[in-house]
Amino acid sequence: AQKVTQAQTEISVVEKEDVTLDCVYETRDTTYYLFWYKQPPSGELVFLIRRNSFDEQNEISGRYSWNFQKSTSSFNFTITASQVVDSAVYFCALSDAGTYKYIFGTGTRLKVLA
Amino acid sequence: GAGVSQSPSNKVTEKGKDVELRCDPISGHTALYWYRQRLGQGLEFLIYFQGNSAPDKSGLPSDRFSAERTGESVSTLTIQRTQQEDSAVYLCASSHIDRTYEQYFGPGTRLTVT
């Protein structure tokens, strides 16, 4: 069965601190996709990244970076030098290749304090 | 606009009444999805439309829920005889046929059943 676990319900940091959001997934498939979405207070989910299971290279985009490790079934997300605008709920999701169904984690609420 | 739009943004209804939620996908996106997000939870898949193919209704929680889509345009999600447990944010997403793994979400409709 597929499952995505985001054990951190809520994290608070002070502006400029680095923060890592954890995501652990379960799937029996060898080909799958992992995603991170941001949900700001406005409610609209914003796509951040997609990673397929064959690409374990870490990715960096500005202050965002992602660490994909198949050995531990984790796809963690780090925000460097956090800003107040980063405050949102962040969702990790899993989709097996060939399907369109996303399995979402329960989300991590990040609060960045000025 | 260029994004997925949903209406209404908020809906308050009395228990037992029927409600209709609307989704306008991104132009050119043949795939359309409905999700439900209960308070503090991740997203639950409800239904998927792809072009003129039969929809995947496997996520609909009961026969009180139904959805329609005309061609590759607007979709409506109908909930009959609403119950308090139907209170949630209903999110719509769309994707291009060649990139069903990359879904773009609308802002959602917040449904409150009193």
Side-chain angles (χ1 to χ4, degrees):
Chain A
Q2 295 175 298
K3 185 178 179 182
V4 175
T5 301
Q6 294 180 256
Q8 303 152 307
T9 305
E10 184 168 314
I11 301 175
S12 292
V13 298
V14 177
E15 204 170 20
K16 298 184 183 176
E17 286 185 357
D18 299 347
V19 59
T20 295
L21 311 182
D22 298 333
C23 174
V24 175
Y25 63 92
E26 295 177 28
T27 179
R28 292 196 181 118
D29 291 307
T30 56
T31 305
Y32 51 88
Y33 295 100
L34 294 162
F35 307 82
W36 275 95
Y37 280 84
K38 174 181 180 180
Q39 188 176 44
S42 60
E44 189 165 343
L45 270 78
V46 177
F47 170 81
L48 295 178
I49 190 171
R50 171 183 62 87
R51 176 51 52 87
N52 74 53
S53 52
F54 295 110
D55 182 3
E56 285 194 73
Q57 282 193 345
N58 290 333
E59 182 157 340
I60 298 175
S61 176
R63 296 184 297 106
Y64 295 170
S65 62
W66 291 269
N67 182 2
F68 176 32
Q69 292 196 345
K70 289 179 76 170
S71 60
T72 55
S73 296
S74 65
F75 186 42
N76 296 337
F77 173 31
T78 297
I79 302 174
T80 302
S82 59
Q83 300 176 0
V84 173
V85 294
D86 296 328
S87 297
V89 180
Y90 291 85
F91 289 98
C92 180
L94 164 71
S95 174
D96 287 337
T99 78
Y100 40 80
K101 294 181 184 179
Y102 282 21
I103 305 299
F104 280 84
T106 51
T108 296
R109 180 176 300 278
L110 174 65
K111 292 184 178 179
V112 181
L113 308 173
Chain B
V4 177
S5 61
Q6 292 186 246
S7 60
S9 55
N10 279 285
K11 177 72 177 178
V12 180
T13 190
E14 291 180 355
K15 179 181 172 181
K17 296 281 180 70
D18 297 352
V19 295
E20 247 185 33
L21 313 180
R22 177 187 169 106
C23 171
D24 279 275
I26 292 173
S27 178
H29 281 190
T30 57
L32 187 146
Y33 317 76
W34 282 98
Y35 292 86
R36 177 172 68 179
Q37 184 180 21
R38 288 188 163 131
L39 186 64
Q41 301 296 312
L43 279 69
E44 304 169 70
F45 167 81
L46 296 178
I47 189 168
Y48 162 71
F49 294 92
Q50 174 59 277
N52 293 318
S53 302
D56 178 349
K57 305 179 182 180
S58 61
L60 295 178
S62 78
D63 58 8
R64 296 186 296 104
F65 287 72
S66 63
E68 291 186 354
R69 187 184 187 195
T70 305
E72 297 178 356
S73 59
V74 171
S75 174
T76 55
L77 176 69
T78 301
I79 308 174
Q80 295 178 310
R81 305 180 302 282
T82 51
Q83 304 294 313
Q84 288 186 332
E85 65 260 27
D86 299 333
S87 295
V89 175
Y90 290 83
L91 287 151
C92 176
S94 70
S95 67
H96 191 276
I97 187 171
D98 293 329
R99 298 173 69 86
T100 55
Y101 46 76
E102 196 165 301
Q103 301 178 17
Y104 293 85
F105 286 80
T109 293
R110 181 176 298 279
L111 174 66
T112 303
V113 182
T114 60

